[in-house]
Amino acid sequence: MELKATTLTIKNRIAYILINREKALNALNVDVMDDLSLLFESMLNKQDLIGVIISGSGEKAFAAGADIKEFVSHDQKIGYDLSAKGHRIFNKIENFPTPVIAAVHGYALGAGCELAMSCHMIIAGEKAKFGQPEVNLGLLPGYAGTQRLPRLIGRAKAIELLLTADIISGEEAVQLGLANYVVPAGQEITKAEEIINKIGQKGPEAVAKTLQAVNAYYDKAQGGAEVEMKLFGEAIASNESKEGVAAFIEKRKANFG
Ligand code: CAA
């Protein structure tokens, strides 16, 4: 398997996926997304896995969002397709038959937060920061953030975070039900391993069936996913997002008029 922007290590029946774009704060560009798709497809054949841990390289970030620099000339169709592809890949993670845990030590913003939310559990380090700052760019989340965030933390708080772009700490993420635990910095993966090893002692078929049943509850809500893809396509082609993306690249505040 040829991976372009991630690495896979398997040890003691746990798969460790590391996002490897430290200089871009592990922004989820096309290469990372293609790797994740390939990884979660190919790991389905590894029958003896008891869990997967996703983390980001470097000190600062789990993943600081989709790669904004790839958005510059996106039109409505490309935006829709990008969003639909993100949904498909993150659904593969959510539907994976063994527990997938996001070990978040730094920024999990935008698509980075959406990636963490597609995992079955989130372990936050004490320096973790979560948020959906897409409105700052004249955008909305495109990888199911409008769907998973309200599901996880409830409508009122989700709407507040989606519209204010406020960034929250690991501790707040636990209080809101977004993350499972907040742990001392550097302990994120150890805590994830502890949970996976506990689950690894249970019947693997019962674990897979339990995950499938929990996911089935949410399948009813799939209509909203299609709406998000359509609106993300419209937003990425809009003058607002052209200004928002240009402002990010030029390191200035966006002027939405
Ligand atoms: N895309 C592309 N590049 C990114 C990036 C992103 N999402 N986030 C950070 N980078 C790059 C920066 O451009 C910078 O690159 P250069 O050194 O070449 O200038 C490098 O990573 C380091 O970042 P900063 O200098 O900005 O680091 P900082 O510590 O000052 O700030 C930050 C950190 C607050 C996370 C800031 O980088 C930031 O706001 N990033 C963008 C967050 C964001 O808006 N995410 C949502 C993206 S849109 C999305 O995800 C849509 C979707 O749902 C599908």
Side-chain angles (χ1 to χ4, degrees):
M1 182 169 34
E2 201 190 317
L3 298 171
K4 291 174 277 191
T6 60
T7 53
L8 170 69
T9 311
I10 298 180
K11 207 174 142 203
N12 297 331
R13 303 202 293 155
I14 300 177
Y16 298 83
I17 297 174
L18 181 70
I19 306 167
N20 240 332
R21 298 193 70 221
E22 182 179 346
K23 284 195 180 133
L25 302 189
N26 300 316
L28 306 178
N29 66 353
V30 173
D31 285 350
V32 178
M33 293 301 281
D34 286 346
D35 281 1
L36 289 173
S37 180
L38 191 63
L39 281 163
F40 279 90
E41 203 68 52
S42 69
M43 288 192 308
L44 281 174
N45 302 322
K46 295 197 188 303
Q47 302 289 352
D48 61 339
L49 275 189
I50 55 168
V52 181
I53 300 174
I54 305 181
S55 61
S57 60
E59 294 289 310
K60 283 173 74 173
F62 172 75
D67 193 314
I68 300 165
K69 292 168 187 169
E70 288 182 341
F71 287 177
V72 174
S73 55
H74 281 2
D75 63 17
Q76 190 168 338
K77 162 103 178 47
I78 296 174
Y80 175 91
D81 290 347
L82 183 81
S83 174
K85 182 177 161 187
H87 275 255
R88 274 197 306 277
I89 295 169
F90 287 5
N91 285 344
K92 280 189 201 178
I93 298 176
E94 189 168 67
N95 290 318
F96 200 68
T98 60
V100 184
I101 302 187
V104 177
H105 67 291
Y107 290 112
L109 302 180
C113 188
E114 293 170 294
L115 170 61
M117 289 192 288
S118 74
C119 297
H120 302 123
M121 286 171 260
I122 298 175
I123 306 300
E126 60 194 1
K127 292 187 185 152
K129 291 187 171 62
F130 297 87
Q132 297 290 158
E134 285 88 344
V135 283
N136 290 337
L137 300 162
L139 282 170
L140 65 151
Y143 297 167
T146 65
Q147 307 302 298
R148 288 199 175 96
L149 191 61
R151 185 205 292 177
L152 288 170
I153 69 171
R155 181 174 178 269
K157 214 55 198 172
I159 286 181
E160 182 186 336
L161 293 182
L162 289 163
L163 298 188
T164 60
D166 282 351
I167 308 285
I168 59 168
S169 67
E171 206 160 307
E172 288 172 282
V174 171
Q175 277 163 14
L176 289 171
L178 177 64
N180 295 66
Y181 294 95
V182 63
V183 296
Q187 293 296 303
E188 301 85 4
I189 290 182
T190 309
K191 182 69 188 173
E193 287 169 338
E194 184 189 311
I195 296 172
I196 288 176
N197 283 323
K198 188 189 266 187
I199 297 169
Q201 292 164 31
K202 319 295 179 200
E205 285 179 28
V207 168
K209 285 187 167 73
T210 304
L211 288 171
Q212 194 182 342
V214 172
N215 288 335
Y217 172 77
Y218 297 106
D219 282 349
K220 288 177 289 182
Q222 275 307 307
E226 186 60 41
V227 173
E228 188 192 85
M229 294 170 207
K230 180 175 171 289
L231 296 176
F232 185 80
E234 285 174 20
I236 212 161
S238 70
N239 288 336
E240 254 180 45
S241 88
K242 299 292 171 223
E243 162 60 11
V245 167
F248 176 78
I249 291 170
E250 292 159 21
K251 299 185 187 287
R252 61 175 172 81
K253 199 172 180 314
N255 178 5
F256 296 122

